[in-house]
């Protein structure tokens, strides 16, 4: 499960229009998603192609929230971009390209308070041309996000890494369950962020990356991971 697990159900509990809170609880990812949805509603403008909304967003966080979420910025940006695209599609808004969501530090913001700045522009890809005859339908631009990183087993099996933290093991609670007696129930975890880290979770037989037994290490394109008798290759896309 990712940071935005059961997002739609949880968003129903958030008060619309609230970009900040009077109390100092920490910012949660689901609140960022709600804020992005409201930003679309507030910034919609009429154009020949329909109701155009921003597709480039910068989320400003205070020191505490920025530090706490920094590890997850990479994967969180992808998930929030998907939230924006889905909401725009549901509301029949027009995007100029696949959404881009980035984070910035504002030291003047208190814990639990965030600010969203947005603009219309080309993000990762331009929007496809809109048929003028279909303008009344105002279809949103729906594009495929960049491919997720993955692990590839020697038999060709691929395991997509779509969560901020993915646990590997032979136990029922592992996100990626591998049937190998040499692997612990929750053997290791892969953490997505500005860099991709592998952390051994105190496994019985240890975790080897590129021939070295590790407790924590950065994964690079093509890194070879050995868990028990299982060999996996890390691919960034």
């Amino acid at each position: 499960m990712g940071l935005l697990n059961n997002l739609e159900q949880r968003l129903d509990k958030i008060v619309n229009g609230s970009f900040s809170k009077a109390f100092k609880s920490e910012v949660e990812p689901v609140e960022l998603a709600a804020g992005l949805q409201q930003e679309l509603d507030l910034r919609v403008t009429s154009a020949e192609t329909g109701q155009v909304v921003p597709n480039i967003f910068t989320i400003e966080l205070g020191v505490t929230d920025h530090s706490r979420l920094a590890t997850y910025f990479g994967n969180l940006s992808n998930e929030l971009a998907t939230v924006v695209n889905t909401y725009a599609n549901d509301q029949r808004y027009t995007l100029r390209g696949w959404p881009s969501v980035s984070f910035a530090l504002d030291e003047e913001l208190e814990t639990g308070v965030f600010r969203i700045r947005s603009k219309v522009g080309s993000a990762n890809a331009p929007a496809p041309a809109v048929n003028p005859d279909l303008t009344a339908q105002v279809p949103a631009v729906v594009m495929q996000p960049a491919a997720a990183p993955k692990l590839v087993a020697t038999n060709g099996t691929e395991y997509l890494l779509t969560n901020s933290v993915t646990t590997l093991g032979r136990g029922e609670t592992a996100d990626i369950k591998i049937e190998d007696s040499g692997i612990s129930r929750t053997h290791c975890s892969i953490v997505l962020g500005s860099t991709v880290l592998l952390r051994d979770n105190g496994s019985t037989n240890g975790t080897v990356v590129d021939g070295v037994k590790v407790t924590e290490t950065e994964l690079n394109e093509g890194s070879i991971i050995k868990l028990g008798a299982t060999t996996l290759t890390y691919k960034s896309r």
Side-chain angles (χ1 to χ4, degrees), residues 11 18-19 30-40 114 116:
L11 283 178
S18 177
F19 274 172
V30 69
E31 295 175 280
L32 301 179
L36 288 168
Q37 289 185 337
Q38 185 185 22
E39 183 72 4
L40 292 180
F114 64 95
I116 297 178

Side-chain angles (χ1 to χ4, degrees), residues 5 9-10 30 33 39 45 51 59 69 90 125 129-130 135 146-147 154 178 186 191 207-208 224 226 237:
N5 180 34
Q9 292 81 359
R10 293 167 63 184
V30 69
E39 183 72 4
T45 58
Q51 300 294 303
I59 299 176
L69 295 174
D90 290 342
V130 177
T135 300
T154 53
I178 302 175
T186 53
V191 181
T207 303
V208 176
I224 304 299
K226 294 202 69 174
R237 61 186 61 232

Side-chain angles (χ1 to χ4, degrees), residues 8-194:
E8 293 181 355
Q9 292 81 359
R10 293 167 63 184
L11 283 178
D12 290 338
K13 301 178 182 178
I14 296 177
V15 177
N16 290 331
S18 177
F19 274 172
S20 63
K21 299 172 290 184
F23 49 94
K24 293 182 179 296
S25 63
E26 297 171 325
V27 170
E28 296 298 333
V30 69
E31 295 175 280
L32 301 179
L36 288 168
Q37 289 185 337
Q38 185 185 22
E39 183 72 4
L40 292 180
D41 293 333
L42 291 173
R43 305 302 179 191
V44 60
T45 58
S46 297
E48 292 182 358
T49 54
Q51 300 294 303
V52 177
V53 291
N55 62 312
I56 299 178
F57 304 86
T58 301
I59 299 176
E60 298 176 349
L61 300 166
V63 175
T64 299
D65 291 311
H66 190 278
S67 176
R68 181 174 62 91
L69 295 174
T71 302
Y72 308 102
F73 280 168
N75 196 51
L76 186 55
S77 293
N78 292 334
E79 293 193 62
L80 290 174
T82 300
V83 169
V84 170
N85 190 70
T86 300
Y87 185 72
N89 186 49
D90 290 342
Q91 300 300 314
R92 306 187 76 79
Y93 292 153
T94 297
L95 292 168
R96 296 301 190 190
W98 180 259
S100 169
V101 179
S102 60
F103 295 87
L105 173 65
D106 186 338
E107 296 181 350
E108 296 183 0
L109 291 178
E110 297 181 354
T111 300
V113 178
F114 64 95
R115 182 186 300 115
I116 297 178
R117 301 187 187 277
S118 64
K119 64 180 180 179
V120 176
S122 297
N124 294 338
V130 177
N131 186 339
D133 296 334
L134 299 178
T135 300
Q137 298 181 19
V138 194
V141 177
V142 180
M143 304 176 67
Q144 293 297 320
K150 60 188 176 182
L151 300 176
V152 182
T154 53
N155 64 2
T157 301
E158 296 185 353
Y159 304 98
L160 294 180
L161 302 172
T162 58
N163 298 336
S164 298
V165 180
T166 301
T167 303
L168 286 71
R170 60 181 175 83
E172 293 296 331
T173 60
D175 297 311
I176 297 178
K177 185 179 179 182
I178 302 175
E179 297 293 345
D180 183 332
S181 60
I183 295 178
S184 298
R185 297 178 62 81
T186 53
H187 195 99
C188 65
S189 298
I190 294 178
V191 181
L192 299 184
S194 56

Side-chain angles (χ1 to χ4, degrees), residues 71 74-75 149-151 161 163-164 166 189-199 209 216-221 223 225 234-236:
T71 302
N75 196 51
K150 60 188 176 182
L151 300 176
L161 302 172
N163 298 336
S164 298
T166 301
S189 298
I190 294 178
V191 181
L192 299 184
S194 56
T195 59
V196 180
L197 299 178
L198 181 145
R199 294 173 180 163
V209 176
E216 179 175 309
T217 190
E218 181 178 342
L219 293 180
N220 300 303
E221 177 69 22
S223 287
I225 305 166
Y234 172 75
K235 299 289 186 180
S236 60

